[in-house]
Amino acid sequence: MAIPGSLTQLDIWKSLQSHYQDIKDQHMRDWFAADLNRFERFNVTAAGLTLDYSKNRINDDSMNLLMQLARVRNLPQQINAMFTGEAINRSEKRPALHTALRNFSDRAIVVDGQDIMPEIRDTVRRMEEFCWKIRRNQWRGYSNKPFTDVVSIGIGGSFLGPKLASGALKPYWDSRLNIHYLANIDGSHITEILKRLDPSTTLFIIQSKSFGTQETLKNALACRQWFLDNGGEESDLPKHFTAVSSNVEKAKAFGIAEENIFPMWDWVGGRYSLWSAIGLPLALAIGIDNFRDLLRGAFEMDEHFRTAPLEQNMPVIMALLGVWYVNFFGVNSHAILPYDHYLRTLPAHLQQLDMESNGKSITLDGNPVDYNTGPIIWGGVGTNGQHAFHQLLHQGTHFSPADFIMPMCSHNPIDNFHAMLVSNCLSQSQALLQGKSEEEAIEELVASGMSKAEAIVLAPQKVIPGNRPSNTLYFPKAKPQTVGALIALYEHKVAAQGMIWGVNSFDQWGVELGKQLGNKVLDALESQKIPQHFDGSTNGLVRAFHQMQNL
Ligand code: F6P
């Protein structure tokens, strides 16, 4: 699939640059005053989610031009290529087919001449059987007691997606199982998890697509040893250790019984793998029916992304708005602000999804880009963030577009908590939009009893520029289907941006160098010799490590 020419040389790019000059000093406040239907016009609903994008620095011309950009970049053809299994991950010569994992249609999806759907369906059936056995106490630990705890060992995509969805769907946890996520290579993390557990009632799931990730293997070995040191026998291991991996041989070599290995495929990227058996800890917590609903919600978003016209296509709209800010307003970050306790780890998941996918500076053809690509993703749950970092959003020198994400109903409707939470969410985006002028600040201060002279001195501190853009994404309640649609929405937003920027959103070569160097540094830390061969700073830090071991 050819993606035409250098992005910045395109006529449409130049039109967008000149349009930016036309509107950059216009205030959204005036646009809202002039157009009472702005909310209805810049609003789209799909798969149970509604996006209000009226609080963006756009008018009809902006959206028309951005849509033209999408067409010039062959976005519909690129989307089709992704869904039909073309090898769009060119550097690894693979398709990116996470959408196949939630394909509820009867469309075949062919990879290397074979329909992959039967194997996917078979894996979901195996997951169902496994969940049934564990949840109904048919599969027990070595002492014949039912399992009480599941430790999911994995990192990156083999951790963040299931962790997010488990948290998001906590109200649907309907088994007595406690699920623990062990990711970091940090003695404190594993210690804190294992110290509360009984090996005879603990099940481990080693989650690693490659089965070669240092942190995961080290943690898995340590858990195995803990199990053997605390009552388990070698012969009990198959009852307590399972794995999800595309590298069955390595998982077997580690000692996992073949029947306890769930498959993964190289056409699923780690950060897109929640929908595969990597979702097993989640399925154990919420049951396979709820897990299927999660997949169904994602499928609905897939169908929307695949078939809706660009102008009404939610992921495409969000992608283009992001491009508008990154490439024309010079913005380099994007805030994710869920107003829902259960969605509090969404920013962490989206950091990997977005930054590992589009943190690229080389095009698919191998040329350096001469424009910015993926922004820095950050954020946190509201209202906590309001008392921490929102100050910068309102008055800082940087402006960061933000996504406010909000269920209209709570799973826990206590008193008027939820109305208060929603009022905070709405008033934050309102404040970002309208700001406060100097005259308004003076008026307010005088009304509070301050003299006009004093008010004039203080007012500049209270001026808030406003005109800061945000999306509000809302839905009735965070149910499994909604959460599936929400995560898939962001997957497609990120993919569509990568398609426009002409980068490969499905590889991650940048993380490799750190891994390679890490092994050499570990050798140096573990040797007694004073290192000379690194840069001066690394040599000094290794020396400091040696010196501080006996303090
Ligand atoms: O180091 C980055 C990465 O490869 C991610 O892309 C991936 O999600 C994570 O490591 C874990 O990889 P694996 O599932 O192969 O252990």
Side-chain angles (χ1 to χ4, degrees), residues 155-158 207-211 213 216 270-271 352 356 508 511 515:
I155 199 163
S158 300
Q207 309 242 62
S208 179
K209 178 180 166 185
S210 58
F211 224 87
T213 302
T216 301
R271 52 199 174 271
Q352 189 203 15
E356 199 166 83
Q508 60 283 321
V511 295
K515 290 185 193 171

Side-chain angles (χ1 to χ4, degrees), residues 45-297:
T45 296
L49 309 177
T50 302
L51 172 70
D52 163 25
Y53 62 104
S54 59
K55 291 192 185 95
N56 276 289
R57 306 272 292 269
I58 47 153
N59 60 21
D60 290 331
D61 290 342
S62 331
M63 289 316 289
N64 287 337
L65 290 168
L66 288 166
M67 292 298 161
Q68 280 178 48
L69 172 67
R71 291 208 164 82
V72 168
R73 298 300 277 176
N74 287 337
L75 197 62
Q77 293 85 336
Q78 291 201 65
I79 293 171
N80 187 51
M82 181 176 93
F83 277 94
T84 52
E86 268 184 46
I88 59 170
N89 176 354
R90 288 196 209 164
S91 70
E92 297 179 296
K93 300 191 174 65
R94 295 170 185 167
L97 273 174
H98 43 287
T99 51
L101 299 168
R102 58 225 190 186
N103 172 22
F104 281 85
S105 78
D106 49 17
R107 280 193 308 276
I109 298 183
V110 177
V111 175
D112 296 332
Q114 264 210 316
D115 182 7
I116 56 175
M117 288 314 302
E119 202 182 343
I120 292 172
R121 293 195 183 107
D122 183 56
T123 304
V124 178
R125 269 193 299 274
R126 277 187 64 198
M127 288 172 70
E128 178 167 20
E129 196 184 313
F130 180 75
C131 288
W132 189 87
K133 283 188 189 154
I134 303 284
R135 285 161 57 94
R136 299 285 174 94
N137 306 334
Q138 302 293 309
W139 177 333
R140 292 167 182 245
Y142 64 80
S143 62
N144 207 30
K145 283 192 252 165
F147 289 113
T148 55
D149 294 88
V150 176
V151 180
S152 170
I153 311 170
I155 199 163
S158 300
F159 156 61
L160 289 162
K163 165 105 176 149
L164 160 65
S166 303
L169 298 174
K170 196 80 205 233
Y172 296 84
W173 285 37
D174 61 354
S175 78
R176 64 186 185 286
L177 293 167
N178 298 306
I179 313 287
H180 312 268
Y181 287 95
L182 174 55
N184 206 351
I185 187 71
D186 182 331
S188 305
H189 194 189
I190 186 168
T191 302
E192 288 301 326
I193 289 180
L194 294 183
K195 78 180 184 193
R196 286 179 274 143
L197 305 186
D198 172 353
S200 70
T201 57
T202 301
L203 176 74
F204 294 91
I205 310 178
I206 308 172
Q207 309 242 62
S208 179
K209 178 180 166 185
S210 58
F211 224 87
T213 302
Q214 187 201 44
E215 294 92 327
T216 301
L217 294 186
K218 182 76 179 171
N219 276 324
L221 280 171
C223 287
R224 188 179 192 271
Q225 198 53 50
W226 170 86
F227 176 81
L228 295 174
D229 291 346
N230 289 280
E233 301 287 336
E234 288 273 348
S235 57
D236 300 323
L237 288 170
K239 280 196 185 123
H240 289 259
F241 280 79
T242 60
V244 181
S245 184
S246 63
N247 198 334
V248 176
E249 288 316 310
K250 269 191 154 182
K252 272 172 34 190
F254 180 89
I256 308 292
E258 188 159 8
E259 64 275 17
N260 292 351
I261 302 171
F262 290 84
M264 261 278 272
W265 301 276
D266 65 3
W267 40 260
V268 186
R271 52 199 174 271
Y272 301 88
S273 63
L274 159 68
W275 323 100
S276 69
I278 290 287
L280 208 46
L282 168 69
L284 283 169
I286 64 174
I288 201 75
D289 290 340
N290 282 323
F291 183 75
R292 280 206 174 95
D293 281 349
L294 177 94
L295 298 182
R296 198 171 285 282

